Amino acid sequence: MNYFWAICFFILTHFAYSQQKLQGQVIDFDSTVPIAFAKITHENKTITADWEGRFTIVITNEKKPVLFSYKGYYTNNYYLTKDATFLLIKMISDNTQKDIEIYSENLVNGLVKTMIEKKNQNNPEKALESFEYKNYERVLVSAHPNQISSKIDTIVKKNIFGTKKIKLDSSNYKFKKLTEKQHLYQAEKVNFIQHNKKGNKETVVAARMAGFKQPLYEYLGLKLVSYSIYETPFEIIEIPVLNPISNFGRRMYTFKLIDTLKIQNRSVYRVYFQPKNLKSSSLRGLIYIDAETFGVAKAYYRIYGTVNINATYTFNYMKEYGLWFPEKRKFEVIKGNNNEDLKILGGTIKFNSTSKLRAQNDASDQAYLLIESKPFDIKINQPTTIIQPKIKIDVPKSSLKVEDKYWNSFSKDTLDKRKIYTYIALDSLSDAEKIEKKLLFGKKVINGYIPISILDIDLRSILKYNNYEGFRVGFGAVTNTKLSERYKLAFYGAYGFKDEGFKYGVTPSYQLDKPTNTWLNASYSDDLSEIGQIQFATQNRRFRIYDPRPINVSTFYENKTFSAFLESKIIPKTNTYFSITRSEIRPLFEYNFISNDEIYTNYKISTALFAIQWNPFSGYMQTPTGRLEIEKRFPKFSLQITKSIPGMFDNNFDFTKFDFKIEYEIPFLSGQKTAFVFQTGISNGEIPLTHLYSIAPNNLDRNTLLKRITLAGKNSFETMYYNEFFSSNYFMLQARHTFNKIKLGYKISPEISVVTRTAFGTLKNPEQHDKFIFKTLEKGFLESGAEVNKIFKGFGLNFFIRYGPNALPKFEDNLSLKISYHLDLGI
């Protein structure tokens, strides 16, 4: 009998040994994107991976391979290795297959088609007359401490003499202990969402940020993912991606019906979607479609790439309205396959790179960003009045002064013990390190000022250089809110060492209305101006350590100007500007303007100017300190009209100028960007050379290419010589595509752009311009080239070539090689 049990034990142990249960994931070799529903075959039994490429398989014969297959990829044969616990299968795409596009089956194709056709019937914003609700939203940066090793590592380093030195690295251990107690960062807000047929409005009811007594307004407008699952285009990290629930969804995505199941006792189809280009990092995920209404009952959206992004939407079925209403939204960003530092929203969130020189189990790799939001107090189809519907987010003062006890009810919902300690720890750290004051100081510096007591020192006025003044040193400042919130005084003074001339200006201002940023200003300046400049009065001020293009300018005119102007954002989604200006002009070069048989060397011009910039697709926030553009969207339009005023302040000329500009940018989730600028100017009347259009040339008239090497400008014509062309009417188009950075070595990651520029122009009455030789642009001007920026420490190289009808006879004269420097602190 003992022999019988021994034989049974042997058979059972042998059988158990011969079977091994393994988990794994199938991914693309190049992109590391999971391959959904790959076929896995072993011993004539086939299973299918899930939508994230994950699987569990029982190995019954370790001598037989496991076959992994998927259309468009080579079959992968895997043989079981000793001590294998998790299989990461990397499949290589088969480029020899001519047709690797995966098409949707007829059944799911019809299902998705119906879902898209009925999206307006199921989208609450389209189907309902109105709704409103409060929404609790939590943002945190944290880590899962149980996934971090508490081991203290040893690091071996060598000194300059080659002697080994062993150091203890406890950073992972410390990081684990920190995240066991608290989150790295957190913030909360409660907002009141309103919707009616006129639009949407968000009003902040309460907000708090760890470490800040007063929340940053930029955070309150933070939008990393679209609120609505039906939104087109769908936005991820402020970058539009094509939503599968859109009219073009079936063209870009392939769909697969997985199964049917029940949600809230309703039958729903579970459908997987992925881009038709399998190697794309575009959106993919699961959509749960109601079998009766064809509305979305739940959705999982994923993007795999430089960061891995997971967005989960859950809905609650409202029987009385026959639709699914949002119940909860969860958005998570974790480290992906990035090989360089990745910043989101200008560095608000930063993911460090994975370096080959660094251990892959670095604790910071476990950090993640999480946003969770949940609606409550929902009211549907009740009278809803939206005040100022063009303002996307309103932040009243009362929302910033909510007591801590207000948040207790939300703490019960989150059940997070680390939450309270995070506020205590970060608040005390902020007080000790004066983080809030340092951040406000940094925001001033970003915009070009250093605050000192009641003055903000203007960094742009300290040092400049051009070919006429040489080095120009000066001092400028503007009073800040410590002196007064309604009054301010800006002033500057400068001295040019080459021309030995003093320049100065002063601008007193009074705020008429804080919510609309309406200011009444007066100014007087005695300074120099570049001839042929094209400036839009509503153009945003961006601070740069230097403005490269004017360095090579040598042709200026003396400009004594008095101006009274009004600037405001009173019209929604616009910046407006109106001014009355009187200028006394003395050209600092040999030039005469002939008008009605009269010769002008010096002249006076009085003008009225109206300018408006309209950003119809941008989102704006109303704060206690004014109106902010929180979602910068394109296209943007700028219009400016300048009219001289005959008989006013001894004005010498009668003319009118119309200037118009369109800016358009297309950002891609990969990080690449395409930008276009269209600009035109139309004028009529008697206009001296100083006020014509020169279209921003930036090339020196020197014999050889090496002698023309200077600094590149921004949106300048790099092969057009200074004072070469002038126009009274023109149009200009620029196109630029910027690729992702290329990592060439340690701290060498250039950013490459390809650029094409073209311009055409005409000149009325050229005989009026005497003693100054120039050409016109009737035949057009063309240049193209490449910019290799930020090669090292912000420095780069730009190369352009000039071609077309205005190409020069000597080939070398059409070439331009420039040095670029990018340290742009503007926001």
Side-chain angles (χ1 to χ4, degrees):
M1 192 69 176
N2 290 335
Y3 288 104
F4 173 76
W5 288 112
I7 292 171
C8 290
F9 178 76
F10 173 78
I11 293 173
L12 289 172
T13 54
H14 178 75
F15 179 77
Y17 178 78
S18 64
Q19 293 192 65
Q20 187 170 352
K21 193 174 184 179
L22 292 175
Q23 293 182 331
Q25 187 178 27
V26 186
I27 64 173
D28 181 275
F29 181 86
D30 297 313
S31 66
T32 72
V33 171
I35 299 176
F37 308 109
K39 291 184 178 180
I40 306 161
T41 304
H42 177 66
E43 286 285 88
N44 297 322
K45 292 184 179 180
T46 300
I47 63 172
T48 303
D50 67 10
W51 75 286
E52 292 183 303
R54 299 186 183 276
F55 63 90
T56 300
I57 189 170
V58 176
I59 306 296
T60 57
N61 188 342
E62 60 185 23
K63 293 183 179 180
K64 294 289 185 178
V66 184
L67 305 181
F68 296 86
S69 61
Y70 196 80
K71 187 176 182 180
Y73 289 85
Y74 290 104
T75 299
N76 191 326
N77 298 336
Y78 174 80
Y79 287 88
L80 185 67
T81 58
K82 188 178 180 181
D83 300 327
T85 57
F86 185 85
L87 305 182
L88 185 63
I89 306 300
K90 300 180 180 180
M91 298 187 69
I92 299 174
S93 58
D94 182 2
N95 296 323
T96 62
Q97 295 189 27
K98 294 182 180 179
D99 183 13
I100 63 171
E101 183 174 316
I102 301 174
Y103 295 93
S104 305
E105 299 172 358
N106 289 334
L107 176 62
V108 71
N109 199 38
L111 174 64
V112 172
K113 181 174 182 291
T114 305
M115 175 190 66
I116 293 172
E117 289 174 348
K118 293 190 174 184
K119 64 179 181 178
N120 287 344
Q121 300 175 28
N122 292 297
N123 182 358
E125 294 186 3
K126 300 288 186 180
L128 300 174
E129 287 296 321
S130 66
F131 61 79
E132 60 183 40
Y133 60 87
K134 290 182 181 177
N135 183 68
Y136 170 73
E137 185 171 285
R138 180 187 182 198
V139 179
L140 66 86
V141 179
S142 190
H144 299 294
N146 58 341
Q147 296 180 4
I148 302 170
S149 172
S150 58
K151 179 182 177 182
I152 299 178
D153 298 321
T154 57
I155 300 175
V156 179
K157 291 187 175 182
K158 292 183 179 181
N159 59 24
I160 58 175
F161 302 106
T163 304
K164 292 183 178 179
K165 186 178 180 181
I166 298 177
K167 284 188 172 184
L168 296 179
D169 181 9
S170 60
S171 56
N172 282 8
Y173 175 79
K174 292 178 179 178
F175 189 78
K176 179 182 178 71
K177 292 300 180 183
L178 173 67
T179 53
E180 284 177 345
K181 293 181 180 179
Q182 66 177 76
H183 300 299
L184 303 176
Y185 176 77
Q186 71 180 17
E188 298 169 281
K189 72 173 178 179
V190 175
N191 44 6
F192 180 49
I193 307 295
Q194 295 175 283
H195 169 80
N196 60 23
K197 294 300 182 181
K198 294 182 179 180
N200 298 313
K201 178 72 175 291
E202 174 184 343
T203 303
V204 177
V205 178
R208 66 173 176 173
M209 295 176 63
F212 293 88
K213 295 178 181 178
Q214 179 170 306
L216 297 175
Y217 297 125
E218 289 79 2
Y219 151 70
L220 298 177
L222 187 70
K223 181 184 177 184
L224 291 179
V225 66
S226 293
Y227 274 94
S228 172
I229 198 73
Y230 295 97
E231 192 170 300
T232 301
F234 195 80
E235 291 193 352
I236 299 283
I237 317 179
E238 291 195 327
I239 295 174
V241 295
L242 186 63
N243 195 337
I245 312 173
S246 68
N247 295 334
F248 296 94
R250 291 193 300 143
R251 297 184 186 180
M252 301 299 295
Y253 296 97
T254 182
F255 297 85
K256 181 180 179 65
L257 178 61
I258 308 303
D259 54 22
T260 59
L261 45 83
K262 293 282 187 178
I263 297 180
Q264 296 185 22
N265 293 321
R266 295 185 65 81
S267 296
V268 297
Y269 299 103
R270 190 162 64 114
V271 175
Y272 171 74
F273 70 90
Q274 67 180 19
K276 290 188 176 182
N277 177 8
L278 294 177
K279 300 177 75 65
S280 170
S281 62
S282 299
L283 215 58
R284 59 195 74 210
L286 291 172
I287 302 176
Y288 294 73
I289 305 173
D290 189 299
E292 182 180 344
T293 67
F294 294 92
V296 178
K298 183 188 289 187
Y300 297 97
Y301 279 10
R302 302 287 189 268
I303 289 179
Y304 303 92
T306 52
V307 290
N308 292 335
I309 301 168
N310 306 319
T312 303
Y313 292 82
T314 57
F315 299 84
N316 179 43
Y317 186 72
M318 294 187 168
K319 188 175 181 179
E320 60 271 36
Y321 303 106
L323 55 76
W324 295 85
F325 198 82
E327 182 181 50
K328 191 173 182 181
R329 181 178 64 109
K330 182 178 179 181
F331 176 72
E332 186 176 24
V333 181
I334 61 176
K335 185 175 170 51
N337 60 6
N338 52 312
N339 56 12
E340 61 183 35
D341 287 352
L342 179 72
K343 297 179 179 180
I344 298 175
L345 297 180
T348 306
I349 304 135
K350 180 177 177 180
F351 290 88
N352 293 324
S353 63
T354 299
S355 171
K356 294 180 180 179
L357 301 176
R358 194 183 73 179
Q360 296 298 310
N361 61 349
D362 194 310
S364 63
D365 289 347
Q366 304 301 325
Y368 62 87
L369 164 72
L370 179 68
I371 297 179
E372 292 180 298
S373 64
K374 186 175 182 179
F376 63 97
D377 291 348
I378 300 170
K379 298 178 182 179
I380 294 178
N381 286 347
Q382 296 184 14
T384 300
T385 302
I386 298 178
I387 301 173
Q388 290 185 307
K390 297 296 184 180
I391 301 298
K392 188 171 184 128
I393 302 176
D394 189 14
V395 187
K397 277 187 177 182
S398 59
S399 66
L400 309 178
K401 299 178 180 180
V402 176
E403 296 181 359
D404 290 343
K405 64 181 181 180
Y406 175 82
W407 302 98
N408 291 340
S409 59
F410 304 109
S411 300
K412 293 176 184 178
D413 294 335
T414 58
L415 295 176
D416 189 346
K417 296 179 181 179
R418 295 185 287 174
K419 176 179 177 179
I420 297 176
Y421 191 80
T422 303
Y423 280 113
I424 296 172
L426 292 183
D427 286 348
S428 61
L429 176 64
S430 178
D431 289 338
E433 301 293 336
K434 298 182 179 179
I435 293 175
E436 191 167 8
K437 289 184 178 180
K438 290 179 180 178
L439 187 58
L440 294 174
F441 177 86
K443 289 177 68 175
K444 291 266 190 178
V445 172
I446 282 174
N447 287 286
Y449 296 98
I450 293 180
I452 299 177
S453 185
I454 64 171
L455 294 179
D456 291 344
I457 308 302
D458 190 343
L459 296 175
R460 294 193 308 174
S461 65
I462 296 174
L463 181 65
K464 295 182 181 180
Y465 179 87
N466 60 64
N467 280 339
Y468 184 83
E469 295 176 285
F471 283 102
R472 168 176 167 145
V473 297
F475 176 83
V478 59
T479 59
N480 55 40
T481 54
K482 287 185 178 180
L483 179 66
S484 173
E485 292 188 356
R486 302 304 293 262
Y487 299 91
K488 65 180 179 181
L489 178 68
F491 58 91
Y492 74 91
Y495 177 79
F497 283 91
K498 188 174 180 180
D499 69 332
E500 298 181 343
F502 286 96
K503 298 90 182 175
Y504 63 92
V506 60
T507 304
S509 304
Y510 175 72
Q511 189 176 53
L512 297 176
D513 184 63
K514 181 181 288 187
T516 59
N517 299 85
T518 302
W519 289 84
L520 179 63
N521 313 268
S523 73
Y524 178 80
S525 65
D526 186 347
D527 208 335
L528 304 182
S529 298
E530 178 189 348
I531 66 171
Q533 262 191 316
I534 304 172
Q535 288 185 325
F536 284 83
T538 53
Q539 185 171 342
N540 290 334
R541 172 194 173 107
R542 294 179 65 88
F543 169 63
R544 297 175 177 87
I545 286 182
Y546 73 98
D547 190 3
R549 187 184 155 275
I551 288 176
N552 301 311
V553 177
S554 57
T555 313
F556 291 88
Y557 60 93
E558 187 180 283
N559 189 3
K560 296 180 179 179
T561 301
F562 172 79
S563 178
F565 58 98
L566 182 74
E567 49 191 347
S568 177
K569 296 180 180 179
I570 190 170
I571 303 174
K573 299 193 175 187
T574 67
N575 293 342
T576 56
Y577 180 98
F578 177 76
S579 70
I580 301 292
T581 302
R582 194 255 193 185
S583 300
E584 295 182 13
I585 295 168
R586 182 172 69 90
L588 299 173
F589 52 92
E590 191 172 4
Y591 170 73
N592 290 330
F593 182 70
I594 303 173
S595 174
N596 298 324
D597 297 325
E598 189 171 350
I599 298 175
Y600 292 89
T601 302
N602 304 327
Y603 38 89
K604 300 173 183 177
I605 296 179
S606 300
T607 59
L609 183 149
F610 173 76
I612 183 170
Q613 179 169 321
W614 181 40
N615 307 331
F617 303 101
S618 291
Y620 285 83
M621 174 191 291
Q622 186 67 57
T623 75
T625 59
R627 195 168 295 173
L628 301 176
E629 183 184 6
I630 54 169
E631 293 179 356
K632 298 181 180 180
R633 300 290 183 263
F634 294 90
K636 297 184 175 185
F637 305 90
S638 298
L639 172 66
Q640 185 165 285
I641 303 172
T642 307
K643 179 69 178 75
S644 66
I645 308 174
M648 184 176 181
F649 304 127
D650 299 323
N651 176 61
N652 293 127
F653 309 120
D654 185 9
F655 64 85
T656 305
K657 297 174 70 174
F658 295 89
D659 296 291
F660 180 67
K661 179 169 67 173
I662 302 175
E663 299 174 274
Y664 190 65
E665 287 187 5
I666 306 172
F668 300 96
L669 199 63
S670 62
Q672 300 184 45
K673 180 172 67 174
T674 300
F676 300 93
V677 177
F678 171 79
Q679 192 168 301
T680 185
I682 301 172
S683 62
N684 186 40
E686 296 181 316
I687 306 178
L689 185 72
T690 52
H691 288 61
L692 291 177
Y693 302 112
S694 68
I695 323 178
N698 192 35
N699 203 14
L700 297 175
D701 189 6
R702 294 176 182 171
N703 294 328
T704 63
L705 176 63
L706 294 180
K707 289 183 179 180
R708 293 195 299 271
I709 294 179
T710 55
L711 293 170
K714 179 178 173 61
N715 295 330
S716 303
F717 282 82
E718 302 295 342
T719 60
M720 183 184 293
Y721 294 100
Y722 284 101
N723 303 329
E724 184 179 5
F725 298 98
F726 285 89
S727 304
S728 54
N729 301 308
Y730 81 96
F731 81 84
M732 174 268 292
L733 177 65
Q734 299 191 26
R736 175 193 307 269
H737 183 82
T738 302
F739 299 93
N740 290 328
K741 290 182 180 180
I742 301 175
K743 196 171 186 65
L744 299 180
Y746 178 68
K747 291 188 177 180
I748 300 179
S749 302
E751 183 181 83
I752 299 176
S753 301
V754 291
V755 185
T756 292
R757 301 185 179 104
T758 184
F760 289 83
T762 59
L763 179 67
K764 297 178 181 178
N765 305 318
E767 69 280 357
Q768 290 185 310
H769 308 282
D770 185 33
K771 294 187 178 182
F772 195 89
I773 300 174
F774 59 89
K775 296 186 289 184
T776 56
L777 276 172
E778 281 87 353
K779 295 181 179 180
F781 189 94
L782 290 163
E783 72 172 22
S784 296
E787 300 178 350
V788 187
N789 297 316
K790 304 176 185 177
I791 297 175
F792 186 73
K793 300 291 186 180
F795 287 96
L797 290 173
N798 294 355
F799 176 79
F800 283 84
I801 182 169
R802 170 176 174 170
Y803 55 96
N806 266 304
L808 300 173
K810 187 178 178 182
F811 178 74
E812 185 183 12
D813 292 343
N814 295 297
L815 304 179
S816 168
L817 181 64
K818 302 287 176 63
I819 298 170
S820 66
Y821 184 73
H822 282 254
L823 187 59
D824 186 350
L825 300 178
I827 57 175

Short mmCIF file of all heavy atoms in Angstrom, two decimals, residues 559-577:
data_model
loop_
_atom_site.label_atom_id
_atom_site.label_comp_id
_atom_site.label_asym_id
_atom_site.label_seq_id
_atom_site.Cartn_x
_atom_site.Cartn_y
_atom_site.Cartn_z
N ASN A 559 12.57 109.81 -32.83
CA ASN A 559 11.12 109.81 -32.72
C ASN A 559 10.71 110.39 -31.36
O ASN A 559 10.84 109.74 -30.33
CB ASN A 559 10.60 108.37 -32.87
CG ASN A 559 9.10 108.31 -32.98
OD1 ASN A 559 8.41 109.32 -33.00
ND2 ASN A 559 8.57 107.10 -33.06
N LYS A 560 10.23 111.64 -31.37
CA LYS A 560 9.69 112.25 -30.16
C LYS A 560 8.17 112.10 -30.21
O LYS A 560 7.52 112.68 -31.09
CB LYS A 560 10.07 113.73 -30.09
CG LYS A 560 11.57 113.96 -29.97
CD LYS A 560 11.89 115.44 -29.89
CE LYS A 560 13.40 115.67 -29.76
NZ LYS A 560 13.73 117.13 -29.70
N THR A 561 7.63 111.33 -29.29
CA THR A 561 6.24 110.92 -29.39
C THR A 561 5.48 111.19 -28.11
O THR A 561 5.94 110.84 -27.01
CB THR A 561 6.14 109.42 -29.73
OG1 THR A 561 6.80 109.17 -30.96
CG2 THR A 561 4.68 108.97 -29.83
N PHE A 562 4.30 111.78 -28.26
CA PHE A 562 3.34 111.86 -27.16
C PHE A 562 2.13 111.03 -27.56
O PHE A 562 1.63 111.10 -28.69
CB PHE A 562 2.90 113.30 -26.89
CG PHE A 562 1.78 113.38 -25.90
CD1 PHE A 562 2.02 113.26 -24.53
CD2 PHE A 562 0.45 113.51 -26.33
CE1 PHE A 562 0.98 113.29 -23.62
CE2 PHE A 562 -0.60 113.54 -25.42
CZ PHE A 562 -0.33 113.43 -24.06
N SER A 563 1.62 110.23 -26.60
CA SER A 563 0.52 109.35 -26.92
C SER A 563 -0.42 109.23 -25.73
O SER A 563 0.02 109.21 -24.58
CB SER A 563 1.05 107.96 -27.31
OG SER A 563 -0.01 107.07 -27.59
N ALA A 564 -1.70 109.16 -26.01
CA ALA A 564 -2.72 108.82 -25.01
C ALA A 564 -3.42 107.57 -25.54
O ALA A 564 -3.84 107.54 -26.70
CB ALA A 564 -3.72 109.95 -24.82
N PHE A 565 -3.50 106.53 -24.70
CA PHE A 565 -4.07 105.28 -25.21
C PHE A 565 -4.85 104.55 -24.14
O PHE A 565 -4.63 104.71 -22.94
CB PHE A 565 -2.98 104.38 -25.81
CG PHE A 565 -1.87 104.01 -24.87
CD1 PHE A 565 -1.87 102.79 -24.19
CD2 PHE A 565 -0.79 104.88 -24.67
CE1 PHE A 565 -0.84 102.44 -23.35
CE2 PHE A 565 0.24 104.54 -23.82
CZ PHE A 565 0.23 103.32 -23.15
N LEU A 566 -5.79 103.75 -24.63
CA LEU A 566 -6.67 102.94 -23.78
C LEU A 566 -6.50 101.49 -24.19
O LEU A 566 -6.56 101.16 -25.38
CB LEU A 566 -8.13 103.37 -23.98
CG LEU A 566 -9.18 102.66 -23.13
CD1 LEU A 566 -9.12 103.15 -21.68
CD2 LEU A 566 -10.58 102.91 -23.71
N GLU A 567 -6.26 100.61 -23.21
CA GLU A 567 -6.15 99.18 -23.49
C GLU A 567 -7.10 98.43 -22.58
O GLU A 567 -7.26 98.77 -21.41
CB GLU A 567 -4.72 98.69 -23.32
CG GLU A 567 -4.05 99.10 -22.04
CD GLU A 567 -2.56 98.80 -22.05
OE1 GLU A 567 -2.10 98.06 -22.95
OE2 GLU A 567 -1.85 99.29 -21.15
N SER A 568 -7.76 97.38 -23.14
CA SER A 568 -8.80 96.71 -22.38
C SER A 568 -9.06 95.31 -22.92
O SER A 568 -8.75 95.00 -24.08
CB SER A 568 -10.10 97.52 -22.45
OG SER A 568 -11.14 96.87 -21.77
N LYS A 569 -9.66 94.46 -22.05
CA LYS A 569 -10.15 93.15 -22.44
C LYS A 569 -11.67 93.08 -22.21
O LYS A 569 -12.21 92.03 -21.90
CB LYS A 569 -9.46 92.05 -21.64
CG LYS A 569 -7.96 91.97 -21.91
CD LYS A 569 -7.31 90.85 -21.09
CE LYS A 569 -5.81 90.79 -21.37
NZ LYS A 569 -5.15 89.73 -20.56
N ILE A 570 -12.32 94.22 -22.38
CA ILE A 570 -13.74 94.30 -22.08
C ILE A 570 -14.58 93.45 -23.02
O ILE A 570 -15.61 92.90 -22.64
CB ILE A 570 -14.21 95.79 -22.11
CG1 ILE A 570 -15.63 95.88 -21.54
CG2 ILE A 570 -14.11 96.37 -23.50
CD1 ILE A 570 -16.08 97.31 -21.30
N ILE A 571 -14.14 93.33 -24.27
CA ILE A 571 -14.83 92.46 -25.22
C ILE A 571 -14.32 91.04 -25.01
O ILE A 571 -13.11 90.81 -25.01
CB ILE A 571 -14.59 92.91 -26.68
CG1 ILE A 571 -15.03 94.37 -26.85
CG2 ILE A 571 -15.33 92.01 -27.65
CD1 ILE A 571 -14.69 94.92 -28.22
N PRO A 572 -15.20 90.06 -24.79
CA PRO A 572 -14.74 88.69 -24.51
C PRO A 572 -13.79 88.16 -25.58
O PRO A 572 -13.98 88.40 -26.78
CB PRO A 572 -16.05 87.89 -24.49
CG PRO A 572 -17.10 88.88 -24.12
CD PRO A 572 -16.67 90.16 -24.76
N LYS A 573 -12.75 87.48 -25.14
CA LYS A 573 -11.76 86.79 -25.98
C LYS A 573 -10.99 87.75 -26.88
O LYS A 573 -10.52 87.37 -27.96
CB LYS A 573 -12.43 85.70 -26.82
CG LYS A 573 -13.10 84.63 -25.96
CD LYS A 573 -13.48 83.41 -26.77
CE LYS A 573 -14.01 82.32 -25.85
NZ LYS A 573 -14.26 81.05 -26.53
N THR A 574 -10.83 88.99 -26.42
CA THR A 574 -10.07 89.96 -27.22
C THR A 574 -9.17 90.79 -26.32
O THR A 574 -9.40 90.92 -25.12
CB THR A 574 -11.00 90.93 -27.97
OG1 THR A 574 -11.68 91.76 -27.02
CG2 THR A 574 -11.99 90.20 -28.85
N ASN A 575 -8.14 91.35 -26.95
CA ASN A 575 -7.37 92.46 -26.39
C ASN A 575 -7.60 93.64 -27.33
O ASN A 575 -7.42 93.51 -28.55
CB ASN A 575 -5.88 92.14 -26.33
CG ASN A 575 -5.56 91.05 -25.34
OD1 ASN A 575 -6.36 90.75 -24.47
ND2 ASN A 575 -4.39 90.44 -25.48
N THR A 576 -7.97 94.78 -26.80
CA THR A 576 -8.23 95.94 -27.64
C THR A 576 -7.33 97.10 -27.21
O THR A 576 -6.92 97.20 -26.05
CB THR A 576 -9.70 96.38 -27.57
OG1 THR A 576 -10.05 96.63 -26.20
CG2 THR A 576 -10.60 95.30 -28.13
N TYR A 577 -7.05 97.97 -28.19
CA TYR A 577 -6.12 99.09 -27.96
C TYR A 577 -6.58 100.24 -28.84
O TYR A 577 -6.87 100.07 -30.04
CB TYR A 577 -4.71 98.63 -28.32
CG TYR A 577 -3.63 99.67 -28.15
CD1 TYR A 577 -2.83 99.69 -27.02
CD2 TYR A 577 -3.36 100.60 -29.15
CE1 TYR A 577 -1.80 100.61 -26.86
CE2 TYR A 577 -2.35 101.53 -29.01
CZ TYR A 577 -1.58 101.53 -27.87
OH TYR A 577 -0.56 102.46 -27.73
#
